[in-house]
Amino acid sequence: QKEVEQDPGPLSVPEGAIVSLNCTYSNSAFQYFMWYRQYSRKGPELLMYTYSSGNKEDGRFTAQVDKSSKYISLFIRDSQPSDSATYLCASSPMDSNYQLIWGAGTKLIIKP
Amino acid sequence: DVKVTQSSRYLVKRTGEKVFLECVQDMDHENMFWYRQDPGLGLRLIYFSYDVKMKEKGDIPEGYSVSREKKERFSLILESASTNQTSMYLCASSRKSNSPLHFGNGTRLTVT
């Protein structure tokens, strides 16, 4: 079993819809959770960074961590075609890049 | 804005060749990383470096080596390329160990 599981998709939704992207993790020591966005033929870029449980909001994006169920989510409101990309979740037991464990990524397609 | 530049976007090499992948960052970051990205497997850390001439193995160092002679440059070396090293290689840097990773746009290596 991988330590961070993520449905590869593709997930296709109409423009304007609310998107929910999810990951599960198995290591209860994970404390730090990140979402990166990767456009085609580009490197990943950081979207959201959260510590422990709870919600964090940034514009149209909300990251949610439920440590009791080991579930992390990224919600995108009012989705736009420009949100079409692969979304990668990553987790770590420490506040350190050296131990990041990555999900495989979910490909998201927003249809105009 | 941080720029991480990988010297080649596409490379085709033959089995047994020695391959050099070069990465340069322009923001005086302490940490540099080499990942490979394969469908369904996510990002896997090959090596990282937290200082000049320092290197640490990641999760999959076998068949690879690295060099960091200058702070801004981190090279990945495949001593004798094999077909199972066909992959997308991503270089990243970060200011500190818990700072966001900044990625290059990747080098797609094909070994025939």
Side-chain angles (χ1 to χ4, degrees):
Chain A
Q1 181 192 7
K2 295 180 191 173
E3 287 195 276
V4 177
E5 298 269 10
Q6 191 174 6
D7 187 330
L11 176 63
S12 183
V13 300
E15 183 177 355
I18 296 174
V19 175
S20 172
L21 301 166
N22 307 294
C23 290
T24 58
Y25 64 94
S26 57
N27 190 338
S28 57
F30 285 164
Q31 297 277 4
Y32 299 88
F33 305 92
M34 284 134 268
W35 285 94
Y36 278 75
R37 177 176 62 195
Q38 185 176 21
Y39 290 115
S40 179
R41 293 188 295 278
K42 298 285 189 182
E45 56 179 338
L46 181 67
L47 261 184
M48 302 287 281
Y49 181 102
T50 54
Y51 168 70
S52 195
S53 282
N55 291 0
K56 184 173 182 179
E57 191 172 318
D58 184 0
R60 297 185 296 112
F61 298 90
T62 301
Q64 188 175 80
V65 177
D66 182 347
K67 293 194 75 181
S68 62
S69 58
K70 298 190 180 70
Y71 204 78
I72 54 180
S73 302
L74 178 70
F75 299 97
I76 307 174
R77 291 183 298 280
D78 188 24
S79 56
Q80 305 293 313
S82 59
D83 295 325
S84 297
T86 296
Y87 289 80
L88 304 162
C89 62
S91 303
S92 175
M94 299 169 52
D95 192 15
S96 167
N97 290 317
Y98 305 154
Q99 294 187 332
L100 272 179
I101 305 296
W102 295 79
T106 298
K107 184 171 183 177
L108 174 65
I109 300 168
I110 308 296
K111 298 176 294 184
Chain B
D1 210 15
V2 176
K3 190 159 187 184
V4 178
T5 303
Q6 294 183 232
S7 55
S8 305
R9 291 303 304 271
Y10 301 96
L11 273 180
V12 180
K13 297 291 181 181
R14 294 195 181 274
T15 302
E17 277 193 80
K18 190 169 186 176
V19 182
F20 293 86
L21 301 183
E22 306 285 346
C23 176
V24 176
Q25 51 95 2
D26 66 358
M27 283 302 288
D28 202 35
H29 282 180
E30 299 293 330
N31 304 289
M32 296 189 75
F33 305 79
W34 275 107
Y35 285 92
R36 63 178 283 178
Q37 184 175 30
D38 300 288
L41 296 179
L43 274 70
R44 292 181 291 167
L45 182 62
I46 304 171
Y47 269 96
F48 67 93
S49 169
Y50 53 87
D51 201 352
V52 176
K53 298 191 186 292
M54 304 304 290
K55 59 185 179 184
E56 292 286 342
K57 293 179 180 179
D59 300 317
I60 52 163
E62 298 79 17
Y64 303 95
S65 62
V66 291
S67 173
R68 194 169 181 199
E69 296 296 318
K70 293 184 177 182
K71 193 174 187 180
E72 68 271 17
R73 187 178 296 271
F74 194 34
S75 302
L76 180 69
I77 303 150
L78 288 67
E79 293 291 341
S80 178
S82 63
T83 55
N84 63 13
Q85 292 178 311
T86 291
S87 186
M88 171 68 81
Y89 290 87
L90 288 164
C91 175
S93 71
S94 70
R95 186 170 58 88
K96 302 185 299 181
S97 66
N98 61 356
S99 300
L101 290 170
H102 295 267
F103 285 88
N105 287 329
T107 296
R108 184 165 293 282
L109 173 68
T110 301
V111 182
T112 62

